[in-house]
Amino acid sequence: MPVTVREMAVGELDLIIGYFHDSTPEHLEMLGVDPTRLPTPAAWRDRLEQQCRLPMDQRATLALIWLLDGRPCGFSTADKIVFGDRANMHLHVVDPELRRRGVGVDCVRQSAELYFELLRLRTLFCEPNAFNVAPNRTLQKAGFKYLKTHMTVPGALNYHQAVTRWAIER
Ligand SMILES: CC(C)(COP(=O)(O)OP(=O)(O)OC[C@H]1O[C@@H](n2cnc3c(N)ncnc32)[C@H](O)[C@@H]1OP(=O)(O)O)[C@@H](O)C(=O)NCCC(=O)NCCS
């Protein structure tokens, strides 16, 4: 797959916001996202824009855009960042038609490389919902190691759920 991954520009942040706000309740349920916890688009854009302007070692979140033949096809975000040590990543191919064609695994590999480089990481984690097969299969194929399955609230948008913890190290 001719995919490339790079840092998301401020003008591209609506890809993230639109993806979540336009998702069906069923899709959000599969992601483990509580729709009532989504920030308003304006507040979310402000927050993400502020993050884009910070130096790398002060970021709380970092967004990467995934391009297929030069066109946006998905994105990854990192949060729980401890610069020089660890972070958690998320993975999304936006158009359902483009899923299950190998885009995700290539973009996850490239995203992991970029996170390691930009955030000087030692360990990159990902904690998808345990019942969401696609990210679990994709992470394993991209070289992440399975650590455990546990109950938690994995992030600010999520409800309490079973998640699988995956990690890759440098
Ligand atoms: C998760 C996601 C990014 C993976 O990207 P993708 O392009 O669909 O994945 P790939 O085509 O690269 O597939 C990678 C592996 O996962 C498997 N896989 C992907 N989707 C699957 C599904 N729905 N069911 C079963 N296996 C699946 C593929 O078969 C492949 O494994 P294999 O080669 O051993 O058969 C994408 O499916 C997606 O955006 N899903 C919706 C959002 C989501 O669930 N994000 C996770 C939030 S943490």
Side-chain angles (χ1 to χ4, degrees):
M1 280 284 160
V3 293
T4 48
V5 176
R6 59 164 168 77
E7 200 180 335
M8 192 178 275
V10 166
E12 296 167 331
L13 293 170
D14 280 342
L15 186 69
I16 301 177
I17 297 160
Y19 167 76
F20 283 100
H21 274 282
D22 296 342
S23 282
T24 61
E26 293 76 17
H27 187 70
L28 294 178
E29 171 74 22
M30 187 182 73
L31 301 180
V33 168
D34 175 351
T36 69
R37 297 190 192 195
L38 295 181
T40 64
W44 206 347
R45 197 172 302 112
D46 274 0
R47 202 180 298 170
L48 291 172
E49 278 187 28
Q50 280 174 24
Q51 287 294 318
C52 288
R53 297 202 175 89
L54 290 173
M56 256 332 138
D57 61 356
Q58 290 172 31
R59 298 283 184 100
T61 62
L62 172 59
L64 305 180
I65 190 163
W66 295 356
L67 304 163
L68 176 63
D69 293 326
R71 281 192 292 272
C73 68
F75 63 90
S76 173
T77 52
D79 56 18
K80 301 185 182 174
I81 297 170
V82 179
F83 186 82
D85 187 20
R86 62 184 182 275
N88 280 47
M89 73 169 281
H90 306 269
L91 55 152
H92 300 276
V93 171
V94 170
D95 180 353
E97 302 272 307
L98 295 177
R99 293 181 192 143
R100 296 199 79 169
R101 295 187 189 182
V103 168
V105 74
D106 282 358
C107 289
V108 166
R109 284 193 185 117
Q110 290 190 39
S111 299
E113 288 302 322
L114 258 182
Y115 288 135
F116 276 107
E117 182 189 319
L118 294 172
L119 299 170
R120 309 271 193 270
L121 303 179
R122 280 193 265 231
T123 312
L124 178 63
F125 294 96
C126 187
E127 286 199 324
N129 184 289
F131 301 106
N132 187 359
V133 179
N136 284 288
R137 292 275 304 268
T138 302
L139 289 161
Q140 184 170 32
K141 202 166 178 197
F144 282 66
K145 298 278 177 277
Y146 170 82
L147 298 182
K148 67 173 183 175
T149 302
H150 66 128
M151 295 294 295
T152 189
V153 179
L157 305 182
N158 302 110
Y159 53 81
H160 193 241
Q161 61 195 274
V163 302
T164 44
R165 180 178 291 170
W166 296 85
I168 188 165
E169 297 192 337
R170 283 288 182 281

